[in-house]
Structure formats: structure tokens, C-alpha cells
Amino acid sequence: MAGRSGAGRISDEDIALVRERSPIADVVGEHIQLRNAGGGNLKGLCPFHDEKSPSFNVTPARGYYYCFGCAEGGDVITFVRKIENLTFSEAVERLAQRAGIQLRYEEGGYVPGREQGERVRLIEAHRAAAEFYAEQLATPDAAPGRRFLSERGFERVDAERFGVGYAPAGWEALSRHLMARGFTSQELIKGGLVREGRRGPIDRFRGRLVWPIRDITGDVIGFGARKLLDSDDGPKYLNTPESPIYHKSSVLYGVDLAKREIARRSQAVIVEGYTDVMACHLAGVPTAVATCGTSFGEEHIKVLRRLLLDQAEFRGEVIFTFDGDSAGQKAALRAFQDEQKFVTQTFVAVQPDGLDPCDLRLKHGDAAVRDLIASREPLFAFAIRSVISRYDLTTNEGRLGALDAAAPVIASIKDPGLRKTYVVDLDRWLGFMDEGFVIQRVQQAIGQGGPGGQGGQGGDRGRNGHQDQPGPYGRQQGSQQYGRRQGRPYGGPDEGRYGGPAQGRATAQEPREKADPVAMLEAEALKLAVQRPALLGPEFDALGGEAFTRPEHAALYGVIVAVGGTVAGGPGGQEWVERLLAAAGDELRPALTRFAVEEPRVETGGEERYAAAVLARLLETAVGRSVAQIKSRLQRLNPVEEQQEYNRLFGELVALEQQRRVLRERAAGA
């Protein structure tokens, strides 16, 4: 498949080169954490749908990915297209830029800078702007910016590490610089770097200290700018507006620097500002990130879950840092509402004297920042303590009011064991010394809409991977939300979210093979044909489409035969898979991609015996169907009146039974 761009068609040779020099594990690994899944496969949480357990598989040897939860799959170009919402040509250009490949365009030749896609152009403009701002930080006019950094404990090398720069106070300094580099005013306006003035485009940031905001891959997609001068009548912080490449609800400042440590330590620290991220990283907390001009929300959670490989177990941790004032407590309580969208543990770290990480480092040193993070408190406990702190606990009325205010918070905890533990803690904190009384008030809250629902029976099972019921925030964590049950990679007969019978459309996630041993056997044969064709050879090619009971399997078999059969596939690999994908229609490509990624059920080293057994069993089942058909016909014949036909069919039956016995023995001995 060739791509078409503004100046012409990207050559097929260059597209192939981009695929070759863009290892899929590296590209996918820039967006999600991948772990070894055995058999040469890697696994992580899918970036295309919410899930509790990882079902997103990458097979580096064949260059493909496939999600068994939502049936998304393809090669490295497909992944970049979907993850960044690009056209085919833009995705090729994006990968080519990453790999340092200069693309050639047919039907008009190569014209640098003219034929690139919109995203690539905006990324390049932001990269050039970041370089411009960084250079300006050394100029005399940037003295207020350097003083601001110095007063907060940052040196020149620190500014360089984080790319901090300075936006000149002039109206057109950046716009003139970028337009001289070949960027149009329309591109700069669309990217949010400049805005339309009365006499033409003017710089969005002027006379401010500037932080480049990068996406998870390290590309600059926006900026955050801090006011320096009293004469500046704008807000204290000014951020890039929404643009085709910048969406603040899903951007975390510092994630490009923190992602590897977040994955390695299974920890993410959420701070409130750019200088807080800098302070944490410099103080030895390299997992710190911050939101960009917006509150922490669901899209941010998705980004972190993919980096944490957030599974149904209390292994990792997310730590929120907030100021100790009332605004900080409100922020923590807002975070509590999103807490159970994580599977991992969540904590709050609050400095008693109200210092943020930047001021804490400046006043007490690096160790104080590390101690702040180490002294974290579970978010549930912090939320409950924050509620009861509003009441006078020296009076009965105050303690009862605190109990009734805290009961809904505890009721909203999905895990019943954790909920009971906090009931005990609340009883102790309030001093009732009557656990039953506290339980009763919490159960009343549950009956009014808490997770137990249904008369307060507490029938939910919590974050440890079991069923959950809707809580007071309307969230449901069970298999119906995530479309997949743990340990059931093929789906089940009652799951129709991703295109099962409920929607009348089959996907690779919904074949129900586990409920149909014959279909599962067919799938194993097709996996071998796609991944290791040399193990099957002419015998597979001679099976015929009638050997497959499922229409989709028969159609895939037809594709394999159409390109020359498994004898033409040799050892397999990416080239063989690409030939099959090119021959398959759109309806079959998802299933074909799945069979290229999902490992056969054989252990390494036993492939030949396993392939022989699969072929023998597949032939045996086909022969078995023929036996059943002949027996059915014999039952309808009169052996006296139709003796000749009866004897002929009986002879066929004897031969088929013998053939089936041989195949059964062959399968058992393989």
C-alpha cells in the first residue's frame, strides 16, 4: 500500500524501509509499558480501550500487534495511524522522521517541507519554537526569567535539561523567526504558537518564561508560559490552546522524561506545576508529572495506567501531592472521585506547612522532597480524615455529624475488605468504640446508593479483578465495562460488546473457540499456517475449504491457498504475513492479524510434532463429519430394495472409519 501526500505518492520502497527501520516494540513501547508474555510476544494495557488486565499483544518477529479485548490490530504504521489519528501518509512521514529517513515522492518529486502532513508540520514548528525560546533565555532581555529560575533553586544546566526558554517581549519575534524558516502564518495560528492580531499574526507568548510541553514520545506539542513582569496583565500561567496536536485533557508535563521510571518503579507522582516536576526530578523523584492548565482527569488516568501496566492487583502506586490549604484538600477530594478508576494503590502526600515540592526543595533540600513522597498517606484515609476534620469531635453532635459525613465516602469504596477496614479506622478516629454502630451508618449509606446497593448486602467484589457494582459516581468495573473477563482471551458466550451476536458482527475477539473445540482446532491450524507455514506444507494445502466448519476460517484458508499455499510461505515472517494481508479483504484482515500475533499452544521445541498432531486431528474431524453423513444416508436407505447403493456407501463407511482410526493414532503419537 502506497501513501499519497501533498506533492505526490510515497514510493513503495520507502514505505518498506520505514517499516523495516521502525521496530514495532520500540514504537509501541513509547506509548505503553510492554512486558514479556512468552513465545516471543510482548503484552501491555491496550491504548485503544479501557481494560483491567493486559490483552494487547505485540509480536516483534512478525512486526504486528493485536488486542484480544477490542480486536484492534495491524503493523507499526497502523498503530501510529490509530494512536495519533493520522492518515496513512502522515503516519509514514511520522515514522520516517523518527528513523531519519528522507522520503521520496513520485508524481512530482521531493520538495522538502511542502508535502508533509499537517501533524508533521506542526510538530516541526513547535520543535523550532522550542529551540528559539531556549536560545533566547541567554539574552539580556531574559534576565527576569533567569532570576526567577535561580530564586527557585534551578541552575542553567537544569533549564537546559527541561528545555526551559524565554519568549521575547516583542509582538512578532517568534512569528518572524518561524515564517523565515518556511512555516506559514496559518500553520502557526493553527498550532497555537501565534494568534491573529489586527495587523497580522502576533506571538501568543511575550515576555514570559516558557516550558516546552512534550507528548509521551518526546515531541514538543505545546508550551506553558509564566508571567514575569508586573506590567503583564495576563494570567499567571498561560498555556497553548487546544490544537490538532495538543489536547490538554490527555497531556502530562514531564511524562516523556518520567515514563521509563514510572514503568520501572511502578510509581507515578502527580504534582501541580512545571517547577514542581523539575524539583522532584532533580531531588531524586523521577516519576513526577503534572497536568497542563487543567485538573487531573480520566484521560490522564488512561495514560498512567498504560505506563504502570495497571493490573488487578495492588502492586503499583499513584501519589498525589497537594498544598495543605483548603484548596489542596478540595483537589484531593476531587482525585478521590477518580481513585477507583485505577486498579493500583493511590496515595496523597501533603506537606504540613503547605510548601509545594519546589519550595520544599528550596527551603529544606532534596531529601525533604523524597521524604514528602515517602510519607504518603492512602487517598481513602486522607479523604475520610479531611471530611471529619470539619467537625468538632469533642462533642457528641460533632462526632455523629462527622460519622454521617464520612459514611458515604466509605460506602463508595468498592472493595468490601478495604471498606470494612476503614469502618474500623473511622470508629477509632471518632472514638465511638462501637464498631457495630458505625457499620450500621455505613450500610445505610450503601443502601442509599453505595456500592453494595441492593439493600446494603455488599455483594460487590473489589479491585482485585472480580465483579464490581455501580458506586455513587456511576462507575462499573465489571466485565461488561471492559468487555473482557480475566483468563478468557477469546470472550464468552454472553459477551457481545465488541461485535458478538448482540451486534451481529463477528470479530477476532469473539470467535467462541473455547466453547467449540473444533473451531479452536481450526484456529490453531490457521495460526501455524500464518506464523510457521513450513511446518504444515502440502498436506495443509490439500485439505480443502470444506475441512473448516467456520465460514471465516474457510475464507482465511482460501486466502492462504490463493497466494500459493503454505509451501510458498517458507519459514514465515513479516513478508509472508504482508502477502496474506494484501490478498485478504477488509473483513478478514482483523482475524488474519490476530492469527499472526497469537501464539500457538505449543511449547518451543515441539513445533513439528504439534503441527503434525493438529493436521491429523483436523483431518480426523473432517473424516468424522463424512462418517456421520454416510451413516445418516444409510439409515434412510432400504438395504434390500437399494442394495447396490447401500453396499457402496457401507464400503465407503468402512474405509472412512479405518482412515479416522489411523488419523487418531497419528495424532496421539505425534
Side-chain angles (χ1 to χ4, degrees):
M1 180 179 183
R4 184 173 295 275
S5 193
R9 179 176 177 272
I10 304 172
S11 71
D12 291 335
E13 293 83 1
D14 283 357
I15 293 174
L17 183 62
V18 165
R19 282 195 179 100
E20 178 185 335
R21 296 189 182 176
S22 304
I24 191 166
D26 294 346
V27 174
V28 173
E30 292 177 350
H31 296 270
I32 66 175
Q33 184 190 168
L34 294 172
R35 289 182 179 169
N36 191 349
N41 275 11
L42 302 171
K43 181 177 287 189
L45 287 172
C46 180
F48 304 120
H49 83 290
D50 287 335
E51 59 179 3
K52 294 178 70 175
S53 299
S55 58
F56 185 88
N57 284 254
V58 176
T59 305
R62 288 179 288 278
Y64 285 87
Y65 72 90
Y66 187 81
C67 176
F68 294 96
C70 66
E72 287 284 357
D75 64 2
V76 67
I77 296 175
T78 307
F79 179 82
V80 173
R81 285 185 67 182
K82 292 183 180 297
I83 197 74
E84 299 189 16
N85 194 26
L86 305 177
T87 66
F88 180 85
S89 295
E90 289 172 338
V92 173
E93 290 166 346
R94 178 86 165 83
L95 289 168
Q97 186 180 47
R98 179 184 180 278
I101 298 171
Q102 181 171 293
L103 296 174
R104 293 167 295 171
Y105 295 81
E106 300 171 354
E107 304 173 16
Y110 174 74
V111 182
R114 189 183 74 196
E115 63 295 297
Q116 295 170 324
E118 177 184 85
R119 179 181 174 85
V120 174
R121 292 286 294 166
L122 295 182
I123 290 291
E124 288 187 351
H126 279 75
R127 181 186 298 113
E131 293 171 353
F132 173 78
Y133 288 143
E135 292 171 356
Q136 295 300 308
L137 188 60
T139 63
D141 290 344
R146 295 193 297 273
R147 183 166 56 252
F148 176 91
L149 292 172
S150 178
E151 290 173 350
R152 282 155 182 79
F154 301 121
E155 301 177 359
R156 178 177 178 179
V157 66
D158 302 327
E160 292 174 352
R161 174 178 172 181
F162 291 89
V164 184
Y166 175 75
W171 292 93
E172 303 170 344
L174 177 67
S175 56
R176 284 199 308 268
H177 174 77
L178 293 180
M179 291 173 71
R181 297 276 298 269
F183 297 99
T184 66
S185 59
Q186 291 79 11
E187 288 175 327
L188 303 184
I189 291 172
K190 197 164 192 177
L193 293 167
V194 306
R195 58 187 178 88
E196 194 68 65
R198 284 179 292 180
R199 299 181 179 179
I202 59 175
D203 295 352
R204 181 169 298 276
F205 308 119
R206 301 185 305 277
R208 287 176 173 250
L209 201 61
V210 177
W211 282 264
I213 300 170
R214 296 182 172 89
D215 65 14
I216 198 168
T217 68
D219 284 332
V220 179
I221 56 174
F223 294 92
R226 210 277 187 190
K227 180 168 68 173
L228 296 171
L229 306 174
D230 293 336
S231 58
D232 187 339
D233 59 358
K236 183 177 179 180
Y237 278 95
L238 185 63
N239 282 18
T240 294
E242 292 283 311
S243 78
I245 63 173
Y246 179 78
H247 307 287
K248 62 183 180 180
S249 63
S250 60
V251 173
L252 289 167
Y253 175 73
V255 71
D256 58 309
L257 299 175
K259 62 181 180 181
R260 297 196 185 281
E261 285 299 314
I262 289 175
R264 188 177 73 85
R265 301 186 184 200
S266 292
Q267 178 200 76
V269 176
I270 315 300
V271 298
E272 292 192 330
Y274 307 125
T275 57
D276 292 331
V277 171
M278 294 176 67
C280 284
H281 281 249
L282 295 172
V285 183
T287 57
V289 294
T291 59
C292 301
T294 185
S295 58
F296 187 83
E298 189 165 348
E299 293 302 312
H300 300 121
I301 291 173
K302 292 178 181 178
V303 173
L304 290 180
R305 288 196 67 231
R306 294 196 294 268
L307 291 176
L308 290 164
L309 196 57
D310 192 21
Q311 301 184 63
E313 53 197 45
F314 293 99
R315 181 166 60 190
E317 55 184 35
V318 175
I319 304 169
F320 295 91
T321 64
F322 299 106
D323 294 340
D325 56 15
S326 59
Q329 290 193 3
K330 289 180 180 179
L333 292 175
R334 284 197 304 270
F336 172 80
Q337 298 181 24
D338 285 328
E339 193 276 344
Q340 292 172 104
K341 292 176 183 176
F342 287 105
V343 180
T344 191
Q345 301 175 90
T346 48
F347 298 86
V348 172
V350 176
Q351 182 67 17
D353 54 13
L355 296 176
D356 58 32
C358 181
D359 291 336
L360 182 63
R361 175 176 178 262
L362 184 64
K363 187 173 182 179
H364 299 294
D366 292 348
V369 177
R370 296 193 297 271
D371 290 343
L372 169 65
I373 304 305
S375 64
R376 64 203 181 279
E377 179 182 16
L379 183 53
F380 285 135
F382 180 83
I384 296 168
R385 286 180 180 275
S386 296
V387 169
I388 65 178
S389 67
R390 305 169 190 163
Y391 296 84
D392 182 2
L393 302 185
T394 63
T395 67
N396 290 331
E397 292 80 2
R399 288 189 296 152
L400 189 60
L403 172 57
D404 288 340
V409 178
I410 295 179
S412 66
I413 299 174
K414 302 294 192 297
D415 188 305
L418 200 59
R419 190 165 63 234
K420 184 175 181 180
T421 301
Y422 278 110
V423 165
V424 175
D425 286 343
L426 180 60
D427 179 44
R428 177 167 49 86
W429 293 335
L430 296 179
F432 281 113
M433 306 305 290
D434 187 347
E435 196 174 302
F437 175 64
V438 176
I439 290 175
Q440 180 183 11
R441 301 296 266 220
V442 172
Q443 285 181 331
Q444 289 175 1
I446 292 175
Q448 295 169 2
Q454 308 302 320
Q457 295 301 311
D460 55 303
R461 286 170 289 170
R463 300 187 297 179
N464 54 359
H466 300 291
Q467 180 182 357
D468 293 322
Q469 301 294 330
Y473 306 112
R475 178 173 180 269
Q476 187 174 5
Q477 260 191 338
S479 61
Q480 292 300 315
Q481 178 184 357
Y482 293 95
R484 181 177 190 273
R485 288 185 179 154
Q486 290 186 330
R488 298 184 63 177
Y490 301 104
D494 59 343
E495 298 173 21
R497 174 180 169 97
Y498 295 107
Q503 295 176 331
R505 180 178 66 87
T507 73
Q509 163 62 13
E510 297 289 331
R512 315 297 196 271
E513 285 143 355
K514 282 203 168 182
D516 184 350
V518 175
M520 189 163 63
L521 180 64
E522 294 171 6
E524 288 298 294
L526 289 168
K527 279 188 280 184
L528 291 169
V530 173
Q531 299 180 26
R532 301 173 180 124
L535 295 176
L536 299 179
E539 191 171 10
F540 176 86
D541 299 337
L543 282 173
E546 62 275 7
F548 296 86
T549 59
R550 295 195 62 198
E552 184 181 55
H553 290 171
L556 287 172
Y557 174 83
V559 171
I560 295 169
V561 172
V563 298
T566 54
V567 293
Q574 187 169 354
E575 184 179 348
W576 170 241
V577 175
E578 288 174 359
R579 286 173 60 189
L580 294 174
L581 287 169
D586 291 340
E587 291 296 321
L588 293 177
R589 286 196 185 103
L592 191 54
T593 303
R594 172 203 164 198
F595 289 140
V597 172
E598 183 180 354
E599 283 295 311
R601 299 170 180 272
V602 59
E603 295 182 2
T604 304
E607 292 93 345
E608 293 184 6
R609 293 180 59 190
Y610 182 71
V614 167
L615 270 178
R617 291 193 181 101
L618 195 58
L619 283 166
E620 179 196 345
T621 57
V623 171
R625 288 194 294 272
S626 298
V627 166
Q629 291 171 1
I630 291 178
K631 285 182 176 180
S632 176
R633 290 171 62 186
L634 283 171
Q635 289 174 354
R636 295 194 299 269
L637 291 176
N638 186 318
V640 176
E641 297 176 359
E642 302 171 284
Q643 184 178 7
Q644 185 176 357
E645 178 66 9
Y646 186 91
N647 290 340
R648 186 186 66 80
L649 288 176
F650 188 80
E652 287 185 20
L653 178 61
V654 171
L656 287 172
E657 287 284 18
Q658 184 177 1
Q659 183 183 3
R660 182 163 66 166
R661 186 166 51 253
V662 170
L663 288 169
R664 187 178 295 123
E665 292 172 354
R666 178 176 143 197

